[in-house]
Amino acid sequence: MTDETQGDSGPELAAIVAGGTVDVHDFPKPGILFKDLMPLFADGPAFRRVVDGIIEHHGVASFDVVAGVEARGFVVAAAIAYAAGVGVVPVRKAGKLPREVLSATYELEYGEATLEVHRDAFFAGQRVLVVDDVLATGGTAAATLDLVEQAGGVIAGFSVLMELAFLKGRERLGSRTVHALLTV
Ligand code: AMP
């Protein structure tokens, strides 16, 4: 097994994610190695395997709704929700949601970002599976998980397609459990 094929659901799924990813240097700014997962999303059988893999990991009966982080998290969240027969809730960047929101602001490498969710997005105790494409420093994930809980949801699980281990997102998330199909 190489570093490219390690993940929490085994080497086969890790290899599928690795095979669907293109590394883009210096995007969106110099020094960043951007992990472009669009080829994975565009490959029907591969996309289905990763969506099914996330559902299998958590168990279809373990969550009531799926929350996805803008924007690539929406793609994964909607597919999981459809396959599991549950709904999907978007966690959006500031100013996009039309009704009353809860907000969480967090530090980026340079500056800060704000995520929002509708205040009435979840019913009390609703079990929420949170998904995104990439876990990097963990700021986005930490803010999202806090927002879901502030809105009354209970975190049923947190999955990403890819984790960039050198940025130590898992450590930032403390006691939260992270499920990553591929860890690089
Ligand atoms: P972070 O808050 O640092 O964990 O960043 C995670 C969010 O930023 C996710 O929503 C990712 O889509 C995006 N992201 C951060 N770094 C990268 C990267 N190197 N390649 C692709 N997406 C990234």
Side-chain angles (χ1 to χ4, degrees), residues 21-24 27-28 32-37 69-73 93 106-109 113 115 131-144 158 160 162 164 166-169 172-173:
T21 305
V22 175
D23 285 353
V24 183
F27 182 87
I32 303 288
L33 179 61
F34 188 83
K35 298 289 186 178
D36 179 16
L37 288 154
V69 185
E70 185 165 358
R72 292 177 297 275
K93 291 172 182 161
Y106 59 101
E107 296 295 316
L108 294 174
E109 207 173 343
L115 289 173
V131 297
D132 201 1
D133 63 338
V134 173
L135 175 69
T137 66
T140 303
T144 300
F158 171 59
V160 291
M162 185 184 303
L164 306 179
F166 67 98
L167 292 173
K168 303 191 187 302
R172 182 157 178 182
L173 292 173

Side-chain angles (χ1 to χ4, degrees), residues 58 62-68 87-89 91 121-123 125-131 144-145 148-149 151-159:
H58 296 285
S62 73
F63 56 94
D64 304 311
V65 68
V66 187
V88 62
V89 170
V91 176
F122 309 106
F123 60 75
Q126 194 170 20
R127 299 169 306 163
V128 185
L129 174 60
V130 177
V131 297
T144 300
L145 295 168
V148 168
E149 289 180 338
V154 172
I155 305 299
F158 171 59
S159 285

